[in-house]
């Protein structure tokens, strides 16, 4: 029997890929982890956090499942946690080993001491946690804490459930705890170090979890693991902080110290991993799919392994059933899969949560008023995924972000009724829906287009310019990690966008901006009469605005978070170009504000659609890329 040359080469390449992945997954140092998740105080997502971290460790960081200890809920008592730290980590770890500890749950403050709550309700002071970390004799140590300490006075903020509880016990640490700490100090290694600690919140910040689509999780854990799926370097933490800001949550500075990450070389891009397979069917873990898109990730979406093309048949939360529609068998559990096309439903609504501070009558009135507003659905805050929140601030009705931050210029007068407020807010709700649809196109780690973007800033009060943002698509031939210096901009600063086409065909672009009041706009110099600036020629660079253009891109009010999304396409964006050409109104600060943003974004999706039908859009990773970032205007 002869083997066709093509099949031989496919098999050889697949074997090489698997050998490369196995070599990457078997580092010279031992790797072990302790994952802790405690659901209490109304939170329910910590077991998902443990799964998110476990799949990341085994599928992307090369950890062996036998070296991962998990403790959840009542099993995660103070005694069990202390025992696992001592027996699994302190006694077993040698210098140079890689160790990860993850805690998800609630925290509190005892006196002035921030503490974690174990599954039996006992407190674990952070000062004790630090001594545990110093007792582990390795400099490759990472501790992730997805818990808060300050209780904001209510269990739900915006649409998020807070991960902190008030403390009603003694106002100081017990003598037994202090004595235990003294014993730990006496036995510390000579050169003890606390490792790297990444915290979702400090004592002045809110830590929260969210309900997504058929699952709940800690927001910090989900964002962190999703970003590390794509880039296993400390630079990924830049993206984590940016995405947390977009969700209206702040984190402490996230250390980019290199010790834990040394020797972890990321293999090929992976958006998912095969969990199980039999014949031509199997199950995927979708840990690397952007969370904006995951809730609407629909049957028909395609992912590719080195040997197969997989089509999604059904999805529930983070797992999906698939069938092989191309390539060769058998399926290999643990194989990474990359997005090939994304199928999205057309009937997507804005989900508007009713704030828990509203009375029952106010919520009933709001639900009735929403029935007259197209493509908007009301839900109860904290119980379902939502895009924004309707509530009151100082007696006036308006909108909040999902993280509970008031949306600028959305609040009316004190005598306004619920129904009148929602009628007034209808254009703002449409703008929020348009932004939601734009977010569904984000794919910087999955797109095949080679593309780089850099945003430079010329401050209004100094001579030297600086780079605000720099990134490239993950599959770019000249890939460079995202650079996001922690800069705030002031009104009057001048921006310029440097776009680099790394492909052999022209790329068509659109830039969208969203200010703190959630107005959707576009730089006026990428619409007529500057339509030629919509195209970046093959292997060339374009600067927007052009150095001698008669317009400026100026930072303007209001103060707050400002988001920029850059959409790039191989094909001309004809529908949106035609519609934008009909847009009237004078640009302000170089920006064209859309009075009716939803048709603009729907036209963009029409341009990007590659074979959908009346019910779905199908977006090909070969054809487009969307990258985004945010900054703060002060």
């Amino acid at each position: 029997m002869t083997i066709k040359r093509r099949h031989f080469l496919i098999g050889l390449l697949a074997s090489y890929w698997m050998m490369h992945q196995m070599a990457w997954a078997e580092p010279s140092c031992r790797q072990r982890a302790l994952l802790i998740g405690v659901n209490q105080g109304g939170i329910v997502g910590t077991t998902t956090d443990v799964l998110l971290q476990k799949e990341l460790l085994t599928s992307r960081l090369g950890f062996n499942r036998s070296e991962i200890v998990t403790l959840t809920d009542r099993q995660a008592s103070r005694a069990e946690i202390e025992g696992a730290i001592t027996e699994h980590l302190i006694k077993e770890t040698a210098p140079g080993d890689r160790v990860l500890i993850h805690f998800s749950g609630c925290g509190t403050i005892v006196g002035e001491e921030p503490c974690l709550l174990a599954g039996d309700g006992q407190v674990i002071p952070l000062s004790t946690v630090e001594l545990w970390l110093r007792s582990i004799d390795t400099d490759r140590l990472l501790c992730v804490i997805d818990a808060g300490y300050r209780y904001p006075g209510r269990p739900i903020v915006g649409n998020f459930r807070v991960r902190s509880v008030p403390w009603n016990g003694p106002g100081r640490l017990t003598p037994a705890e202090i004595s235990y700490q003294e014993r730990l100090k006496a036995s510390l290694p000579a050169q003890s170090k606390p490792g790297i600690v990444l915290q979702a919140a400090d004592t002045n910040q809110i830590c929260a979890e969210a309900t997504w689509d058929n699952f709940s999780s800690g927001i910090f854990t989900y964002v962190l693991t999703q970003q590390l799926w794509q880039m296993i370097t400390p630079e990924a933490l830049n993206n984590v902080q940016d995405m947390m800001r977009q969700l209206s949550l702040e984190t402490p500075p996230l250390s980019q110290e290199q010790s834990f990450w040394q020797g972890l070389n990321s293999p090929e891009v992976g958006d998912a991993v095969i969990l199980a397979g039999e014949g031509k069917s199997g199950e995927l873990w979708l840990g690397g799919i952007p969370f904006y898109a995951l809730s609407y990730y629909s049957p028909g979406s395609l992912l590719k392994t080195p040997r197969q093309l997989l089509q999604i048949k059904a999805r529930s939360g983070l797992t999906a059933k698939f069938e092989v529609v191309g390539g060769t068998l058998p399926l290999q559990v643990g194989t990474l899969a990359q997005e090939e096309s994304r199928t999205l439903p057309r009937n997507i609504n804005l989900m508007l949560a009713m704030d828990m501070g509203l009375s029952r009558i106010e919520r009933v009135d709001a639900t009735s008023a929403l029935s007259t507003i197209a493509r908007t659905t009301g839900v109860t805050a904290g119980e379902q995924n939502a895009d924004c929140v309707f509530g009151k601030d100082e007696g006036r009705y308006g909108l909040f972000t999902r993280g509970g931050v008031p949306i600028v210029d959305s609040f009316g007068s004190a005598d306004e009724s619920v129904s009148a407020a929602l009628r007034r807010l209808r254009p703002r709700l449409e703008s929020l829906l348009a932004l939601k649809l734009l977010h569904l196109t984000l794919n910087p780690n999955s797109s095949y287009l080679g593309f780089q973007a850099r945003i430079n800033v010329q401050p209004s009060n100094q001579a030297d310019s600086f780079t605000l943002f720099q990134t490239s698509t993950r599959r770019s031939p000249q890939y460079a990690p995202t650079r996001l210096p922690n800069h705030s901009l002031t009104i009057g600063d001048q921006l310029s966008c440097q776009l680099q086409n790394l492909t052999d065909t022209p790329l068509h672009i659109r830039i969208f901006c969203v200010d703190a009041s959630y107005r959707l706009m576009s730089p006026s110099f990428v619409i007529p009469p500057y339509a030629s600036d919509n195209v970046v020629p093959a292997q060339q660079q374009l600067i927007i605005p052009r150095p001698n253009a008669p317009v400026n891109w100026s930072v303007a009010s209001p103060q707050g978070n400002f988001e920029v999304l850059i959409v790039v396409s191989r094909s001309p964006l004809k529908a949106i170009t035609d519609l934008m050409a009909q847009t009237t109104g004078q640009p302000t600060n170089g920006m064209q504000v859309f009075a009716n943003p939803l048709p603009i974004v729907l036209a963009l999706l029409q341009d990007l659609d590659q074979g959908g039908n009346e019910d779905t859009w199908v977006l090909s990773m070969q054809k487009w890329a969307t990258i985004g970032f945010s900054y703060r205007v002060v």
Side-chain angles (χ1 to χ4, degrees):
M1 180 181 295
T2 61
I3 301 176
K4 291 184 178 180
R5 183 174 183 270
R6 177 175 176 271
H7 290 171
F8 172 77
L9 290 174
I10 290 174
L12 184 64
L13 288 171
S15 298
Y16 171 80
W17 183 87
M18 291 300 295
M19 289 174 63
H20 168 72
Q21 193 175 42
M22 290 175 64
W24 160 81
E26 295 175 358
S28 57
C29 65
R30 291 187 65 184
Q31 302 189 127
R32 54 175 56 83
L34 172 61
L35 310 180
I36 304 163
V38 181
N39 285 328
Q40 58 183 240
I43 66 170
V44 296
T46 68
T47 49
T48 302
D49 291 359
V50 169
L51 286 174
L52 285 164
Q53 192 66 266
K54 191 171 187 177
E55 288 301 330
L56 174 73
L57 294 178
T58 56
S59 299
R60 298 297 276 158
L61 274 67
F63 278 60
N64 191 313
R65 290 183 183 271
S66 64
E67 295 282 14
I68 300 175
V69 172
T70 62
L71 298 173
T72 57
D73 297 337
R74 297 292 297 179
Q75 183 188 29
S77 65
R78 165 68 189 257
E80 289 293 333
I81 293 173
E82 185 178 319
I85 292 280
T86 302
E87 300 299 325
H88 181 57
L89 300 182
I90 295 176
K91 290 184 178 180
E92 294 294 326
T93 300
D97 287 354
R98 197 183 328 272
V99 174
L100 183 140
I101 302 171
H102 183 108
F103 179 91
S104 282
C106 281
T108 191
I109 296 180
V110 178
E112 296 183 356
E113 175 82 30
C115 300
L116 305 176
L117 286 178
D120 56 358
Q122 293 193 50
V123 298
I124 305 174
L126 282 194
S127 53
T128 297
V129 173
E130 181 181 348
L131 290 170
W132 283 343
L133 298 179
R134 289 185 175 277
S135 300
I136 301 171
D137 192 14
T138 182
D139 59 355
R140 293 183 174 183
L141 172 61
L142 175 64
C143 179
V144 178
I145 299 177
D146 194 349
Y149 312 103
R150 179 177 68 87
Y151 184 65
R154 53 192 296 191
I156 295 175
V157 173
N159 197 49
F160 298 152
R161 295 183 296 275
V162 300
R163 285 190 164 183
S164 56
V165 295
W167 177 247
N168 298 316
R172 64 183 65 182
L173 300 185
T174 65
E177 186 71 41
I178 295 172
S179 176
Y180 175 67
Q181 290 185 352
E182 292 301 321
R183 294 195 301 273
L184 286 174
K185 292 176 184 177
S187 60
L188 288 176
Q191 302 294 326
S192 67
K193 297 179 181 179
I196 304 168
V197 180
L198 304 179
Q199 295 198 77
D202 61 23
T203 54
N204 295 313
Q205 296 168 326
I206 290 176
C207 174
E209 71 173 31
T211 298
W212 308 98
D213 180 51
N214 291 325
F215 71 98
S216 296
S217 74
I219 299 167
F220 183 67
T221 298
Y222 190 17
V223 171
L224 176 68
T225 56
Q226 197 272 324
Q227 289 301 311
L228 288 174
W229 262 85
Q230 306 296 346
M231 182 169 61
I232 307 174
T233 68
E235 285 80 12
L237 302 178
N238 285 328
N239 295 341
V240 172
Q241 289 192 293
D242 186 52
M243 297 190 74
M244 293 293 285
R245 281 194 296 268
Q246 291 180 33
L247 293 168
S248 304
L249 293 173
E250 296 291 334
T251 68
L254 301 180
S255 170
Q256 296 192 21
E257 203 273 322
Q258 297 282 335
S259 57
F260 176 82
W261 311 98
Q262 290 175 354
L264 285 176
N265 298 314
S266 175
E268 292 297 315
V269 175
D271 302 300
V273 64
I274 295 178
L275 294 177
E278 183 176 354
K280 298 183 68 175
S281 301
E283 186 175 56
L284 284 167
W285 177 263
L286 303 175
I289 301 296
F291 70 83
Y292 283 123
L294 181 69
S295 295
Y296 298 96
Y297 210 69
S298 299
S301 297
L302 296 174
L303 297 98
K304 186 173 70 173
T305 74
R307 296 178 58 180
Q308 297 102 14
L309 186 63
L310 315 177
Q311 185 177 63
I312 300 296
K313 293 299 182 180
R315 182 189 59 81
S316 177
L318 286 157
T319 60
K321 303 293 184 182
F322 70 83
E323 285 189 5
V324 177
V325 294
T328 60
L329 298 174
L331 293 166
Q332 179 74 40
V333 173
T335 301
L336 297 175
Q338 303 172 3
E339 268 199 284
E340 191 71 13
S341 70
R342 186 180 296 175
T343 299
L344 302 169
R346 291 178 183 260
N347 61 335
I348 295 174
N349 285 0
L350 183 77
M351 308 303 288
L352 179 63
M354 301 294 110
D355 186 75
M356 296 301 294
L358 296 175
S359 69
R360 186 182 67 83
I361 293 177
E362 287 173 316
R363 290 198 294 270
V364 170
D365 289 347
T367 301
S368 176
L370 286 178
S371 66
T372 66
I373 300 178
R375 303 190 69 157
T376 304
T377 301
V379 299
T380 301
E383 294 183 4
Q384 294 175 260
N385 193 8
D387 305 298
C388 56
V389 179
F390 176 72
K392 286 195 295 189
D393 185 27
E394 297 182 350
R396 300 178 303 145
Y397 295 113
L399 298 175
F400 298 81
T401 67
R402 64 180 88 188
V405 176
I407 292 179
V408 175
D409 297 333
S410 72
F411 291 85
S413 61
D415 59 351
E416 187 179 39
S417 68
V418 169
S419 58
L422 285 169
R423 284 196 301 271
R424 173 180 55 81
L425 291 169
R426 185 176 301 195
R428 194 70 58 91
L429 297 174
E430 180 179 308
S431 186
L432 284 160
L433 176 57
L435 177 60
K436 175 178 182 173
L437 295 178
L438 266 180
H439 281 155
L440 296 182
T441 70
L442 283 165
N443 67 339
N445 298 307
S446 304
S447 174
Y448 284 90
L449 298 191
F451 182 75
Q452 290 182 343
R454 174 185 294 176
I455 303 292
N456 295 317
V457 179
Q458 178 60 63
S460 58
N461 57 359
Q462 64 185 60
D464 295 333
S465 62
F466 62 87
T467 297
L468 174 71
F469 170 82
Q470 177 179 319
T471 193
S472 61
T473 48
R474 185 68 173 86
R475 292 172 176 171
S476 169
Q478 300 179 27
Y479 172 70
T482 298
R483 177 184 173 190
L484 273 167
N486 188 22
H487 283 297
S488 295
L489 304 186
T490 58
I491 295 172
D493 290 349
Q494 302 292 313
L495 304 181
S496 65
C497 182
Q498 181 177 313
L499 306 173
Q500 181 75 41
N501 181 353
L502 302 175
T503 74
D504 294 326
T505 59
L507 294 178
H508 304 262
I509 63 166
R510 286 294 171 194
I511 300 176
F512 296 93
C513 305
V514 184
D515 67 11
S517 65
Y518 285 84
R519 294 182 304 168
L520 189 67
M521 59 195 82
S522 181
S524 60
F525 32 83
V526 294
I527 62 176
Y530 308 104
S532 61
D533 285 1
N534 291 338
V535 181
V536 187
Q539 298 295 333
Q540 292 189 35
Q541 176 181 284
L542 177 66
I543 297 177
I544 297 176
R546 295 180 186 271
N548 297 319
V551 291
N552 292 316
W553 183 352
S554 300
V555 176
S557 60
Q559 296 177 333
N561 283 336
F562 199 98
E563 187 175 359
V564 178
L565 295 106
I566 303 172
V567 183
V568 186
S569 171
R570 287 191 190 275
S571 304
L573 300 172
K574 185 177 186 305
I576 189 173
T577 298
D578 292 345
L579 188 58
M580 290 175 70
Q582 303 169 21
T583 302
T584 59
Q586 292 298 317
T588 303
N589 297 299
M591 290 290 170
Q592 190 84 21
V593 180
F594 300 126
N596 299 298
L598 187 56
I600 296 289
V601 176
L602 291 174
L604 173 69
L605 286 165
Q606 177 184 332
D607 285 324
L608 297 180
D609 184 29
Q610 297 289 321
N613 53 42
E614 62 182 11
D615 297 319
T616 61
W617 292 296
V618 176
L619 310 183
S620 170
M621 300 297 154
Q622 302 278 356
K623 302 294 185 180
W624 111 97
T626 301
I627 59 177
F629 69 98
S630 65
Y631 59 86
R632 180 175 290 277
V633 178
V634 297

